[in-house]
Amino acid sequence: MNFELTTLSVAEIDSDVEVIIVVDNDTKHRFVQDRKLLKKAGFSAGQDETCLLIEKDRLYVGAEVLESRAIRTAAAAAIKALQSTKYKSIKVATYTNKGCTYTLRGMIEGFMLGAYTFETYKSKKKKNPIKHISVSLDEYSELEIDIGKASEAIHKAQITADATNFTRDIVNTTPDDCYPEVMATIAEGMAENTGLTCEVLKPKELRKEKMETLLAVARASRHTPRVIHLAHKPKNPKCVVTLVGKGLTYDSGGLSLKPADFMVTMKADKSGGSAVMGIMRAVAELDLPIEVHGFVGAVENMIGGDAYKPDDVLVAKNGKTIEIRNTDAEGRLVLADTLCYAQQEVKADYLFDFATLTGACVVGVGHYTSGIMGNSEEMKTLVVKEAKSAGELATALDFNPYLKKTIKSEIADVCNISNTRYGGAITAGQFLSEFIDEKHTDKWAHIDIAGPAFVEHAWGENPFGASGAGVRLMVRLIENLACSEQKH
Ligand code: BES
Ligand code: ZN
Ligand code: ZN
């Protein structure tokens, strides 16, 4: 899909179909030329509601407000509505929130994210037919829009959406086709294309680094684990950001085997690691003036005679002992060692981890929202704020000392599960906090993406399957650090 920005008015552009966003039900706006027909068709301009007037070659879509969040999902709905048509090109006007081109960025992201299909395993491919989108600088509120700023917004949108779709592709790939070694190969290929550095630790190096908990989780799989370290190192960086991702290429639950219904979709347990890879790709392509490191713990959690067991006690990289009471709480074990390794390798100003860590997070906040945890109010607030402005949903889940006590162990330093069913997202986050060193205590936020990472019923800009949760949120956050951070 390519984009062209033009000073021509929409009417002057030669395209197959025009997309018109009806904002706040304002059907009297000059862009709405088919008021009577729309009324006849029963179009009420609700958010993401579409109406294709095939004989006019016009598609109308509703947006409740002129904000990037609403314009993004409206654009996604519009392009999805064209999925089965023969149209190849679109023309559309510019919609901005009082001249701020972030709304334009939202629209482009919406088109690209909404057009995404994953067809690797389909014999007949049904790719979205739209190849070309012309964006007219004719603005909804007749504001003068700087062409340079507008084209920068489109460029950034393309990078962010491509990175999100890259993450979606990795997550959607089946566990038999995407195991730790494959994840490492994808990371290496991406690094070569974008100029990132990429180092891959294999079992021998992992043993040398004393990452015994990660190795224990991986032990029963025929696919050996990898830890991937990607880095973007510009000259004179404004600050240093470390990202860590849970990359469980499959989570069967291990000996604490998941029930059949709960095992389906566990190919998506690599969503955190895949998001880290997508974010790194965007950071490199945007060439942000921030040093960013991405670490992925890529492991498969399986069963077998060699499997790690409930009742085992494992020693993490930082020397803490962990009593295993459930092998399905494996993500926190993989993250424990990967977080320790990441902090040993890089002293960061910001440390974020991404993980499909707990079903409890989905129960608590629903399928659409990520849970944000950590020791620092400031960090949690920052992540929640950036998520919102990037069009992702996130909410803070606060730690407390009572829940912390529930992961105490009688025989080891800490237990890998809590002694209560309740507050499972938070107790998992508090388990991870045991592996954050003093230097990073207030620099860390844990992002549980278990809900939004995998979409079983399409919503917003997300079709069925992987959503790429975390990518837009973190690209936005790092971009803003680039604008606001003082040089260190
Ligand atoms: N990968 C799962 C969490 C998950 C569940 C992600 C549903 C996405 C959708 C994780 O490894 C897990 O199994 N967690 C257990 C923890 C429990 C044993 C304490 C869970 O949430 O049930
Ligand atoms: Zn699990
Ligand atoms: Zn898992």
Side-chain angles (χ1 to χ4, degrees):
M1 188 180 289
N2 59 59
F3 295 89
E4 184 187 8
L5 188 60
T6 168
T7 50
L8 294 177
S9 70
V10 178
E12 289 168 316
I13 302 171
D14 185 22
S15 279
D16 296 343
V17 61
E18 179 182 350
V19 170
I20 300 115
I21 305 178
V22 183
V23 183
D24 189 21
N25 218 340
D26 184 6
T27 47
K28 295 205 174 78
H29 191 275
R30 66 188 169 101
F31 286 172
V32 184
Q33 300 174 55
D34 306 286
R35 223 184 315 157
K36 273 194 188 144
L37 267 182
L38 289 172
K39 208 170 170 196
K40 213 169 166 183
F43 178 67
S44 62
Q47 178 68 48
D48 303 343
E49 181 186 346
T50 58
C51 184
L52 176 58
L53 302 180
I54 203 92
E55 293 197 335
K56 300 267 180 186
D57 292 327
R58 288 196 197 102
L59 174 80
Y60 288 87
V61 61
E64 274 165 6
V65 283
L66 229 180
E67 284 173 18
S68 57
R69 169 183 53 88
I71 299 295
R72 186 183 291 102
T73 61
I79 204 139
K80 278 193 222 173
L82 298 172
Q83 175 79 39
S84 53
T85 66
K86 297 274 183 275
Y87 295 126
K88 289 197 169 52
S89 58
I90 289 180
K91 54 181 178 175
V92 66
T94 295
Y95 297 77
T96 71
N97 188 351
K98 301 186 187 91
C100 168
T101 52
Y102 199 65
T103 326
L104 172 58
R105 177 169 173 171
M107 182 173 78
I108 306 300
E109 286 178 1
F111 283 137
M112 293 180 68
L113 297 172
Y116 175 86
T117 54
F118 181 73
E119 302 185 302
T120 306
Y121 304 105
K122 288 270 193 196
S123 312
K124 282 200 185 116
K125 319 274 184 205
K126 284 197 303 198
K127 267 205 163 14
N128 195 288
I130 305 299
K131 301 271 174 301
H132 187 83
I133 300 185
S134 302
V135 181
S136 163
L137 271 177
D138 188 0
E139 204 273 335
Y140 183 79
S141 314
E142 292 176 62
L143 295 168
E144 247 337 280
I145 302 298
D146 181 85
I147 188 159
K149 273 197 186 146
S151 87
E152 198 183 307
I154 294 179
H155 177 68
K156 286 181 178 170
Q158 283 180 284
I159 290 176
T160 313
D162 272 336
T164 309
N165 287 341
F166 167 73
T167 295
R168 288 170 167 185
D169 277 344
I170 304 171
V171 176
N172 282 328
T173 303
T174 58
D176 216 27
D177 286 343
C178 185
Y179 40 89
E181 190 187 342
V182 176
M183 272 194 103
T185 309
I186 297 171
E188 283 166 339
M190 186 271 284
E192 207 173 305
N193 292 337
T194 54
L196 294 168
T197 63
C198 181
E199 196 191 342
V200 175
L201 279 70
K202 293 185 183 161
K204 197 171 142 207
E205 287 96 22
L206 297 172
R207 274 193 290 276
K208 211 166 114 201
E209 286 293 341
K210 296 195 162 48
M211 295 168 79
E212 295 295 336
T213 19
L214 182 147
L215 285 159
V217 175
R219 214 162 60 202
S221 169
R222 71 193 173 99
H223 298 299
T224 54
R226 299 286 185 272
V227 167
I228 305 162
H229 177 190
L230 292 157
H232 169 72
K233 289 188 185 173
K235 281 198 187 112
N236 301 319
K238 290 190 172 176
C239 63
V240 180
V241 175
T242 293
L243 313 169
V244 175
K246 170 178 172 182
L248 262 288
T249 58
Y250 203 67
D251 179 14
S252 69
L255 289 180
S256 314
L257 196 64
K258 284 185 183 292
D261 285 353
F262 288 80
M263 210 184 290
V264 184
T265 74
M266 279 303 135
K267 66 172 183 183
D269 216 18
K270 56 185 176 316
S271 296
S274 308
V276 167
M277 284 162 59
I279 299 160
M280 292 306 298
R281 173 176 153 154
V283 164
E285 289 182 350
L286 292 165
D287 198 15
L288 297 177
I290 308 264
E291 182 172 324
V292 187
H293 294 262
F295 294 85
V296 179
V299 178
E300 188 180 58
N301 185 23
M302 295 297 282
I303 53 171
D306 197 21
Y308 83 121
K309 297 172 278 292
D311 283 351
D312 277 343
V313 172
L314 306 177
V315 187
K317 181 170 165 59
N318 67 352
K320 287 200 180 168
T321 57
I322 307 168
E323 179 192 358
I324 304 302
R325 291 180 77 92
N326 191 318
T327 61
D328 197 12
E330 84 302 331
R332 61 196 77 185
L333 302 173
V334 170
L335 280 179
D337 273 352
T338 314
L339 279 164
C340 290
Y341 180 70
Q343 292 168 97
Q344 168 192 292
E345 295 298 294
V346 182
K347 188 184 174 311
D349 301 305
Y350 298 86
L351 171 63
F352 301 107
D353 76 74
F354 300 82
T356 45
L357 205 61
T358 63
C361 194
V362 194
V363 173
V365 303
H367 261 120
Y368 312 97
T369 306
S370 297
I372 314 299
M373 287 153 263
N375 304 310
S376 151
E377 288 301 324
E378 208 185 314
M379 277 297 161
K380 287 185 287 183
T381 311
L382 175 71
V383 177
V384 170
K385 181 181 128 230
E386 299 294 355
K388 198 168 264 173
S389 84
E392 292 197 37
L393 295 170
T395 191
L397 300 174
D398 292 344
F399 288 167
N400 69 59
Y402 308 107
L403 280 173
K404 183 71 184 265
K405 285 191 188 139
T406 70
I407 53 169
K408 277 194 168 166
S409 163
E410 294 289 339
I411 59 162
D413 298 339
V414 65
C415 182
N416 85 322
I417 56 165
S418 155
N419 63 18
T420 161
R421 302 198 300 124
Y422 303 110
I426 296 171
T427 50
Q430 288 186 298
F431 177 90
L432 294 182
S433 75
E434 293 283 324
F435 304 91
I436 302 298
D437 62 32
E438 252 172 45
K439 294 191 299 278
H440 291 99
T441 307
D442 292 324
K443 298 180 171 161
W444 166 68
H446 158 57
I447 305 170
D448 193 333
I449 55 172
F454 199 80
V455 175
E456 294 197 75
H457 302 282
W459 55 271
E461 61 275 38
N462 303 306
F464 175 88
S467 70
V471 176
R472 277 183 291 130
L473 131 67
M474 195 45 60
V475 171
R476 178 88 176 137
L477 190 153
I478 301 174
E479 267 183 64
N480 280 347
L481 289 180
C483 302
S484 59
E485 268 280 331
Q486 292 304 305
K487 273 198 178 165
H488 276 236

